[in-house]
Amino acid sequence: MADRGWYDDSDYHDAVQQGERATRFGWAAIAGTTGVLGCVLITMAVICAVAVLACLYVVVSMDY
């Protein structure tokens, strides 16, 4: 204790920095997952729309 000083709070600052890094990583993971899920949702909506249009085309072309 004598060599570090009474008001040495470097351990506290290290813990705070580590917590901030973990928080940033967590938010980046959440944002990345949300972005991927959004892209998958848009892709699935487009695929469903194309399937519906293809089915409608088949039904309409069968009448002629």
Side-chain angles (χ1 to χ4, degrees):
M1 178 98 169
D3 60 342
R4 293 184 64 187
W6 182 258
Y7 295 107
D8 184 20
D9 57 353
S10 61
D11 291 338
Y12 172 76
H13 288 297
D14 291 341
V16 169
Q17 288 176 350
Q18 183 180 5
E20 288 174 350
R21 282 193 302 268
T23 302
R24 283 193 302 270
F25 176 77
W27 280 113
I30 291 170
T33 303
T34 304
V36 168
L37 288 175
C39 290
V40 168
L41 181 66
I42 291 170
T43 303
M44 290 302 296
V46 168
I47 289 172
C48 288
V50 168
V52 167
L53 291 175
C55 290
L56 286 174
Y57 177 76
V58 168
V59 169
V60 170
S61 66
M62 285 175 51
D63 288 339
Y64 293 111

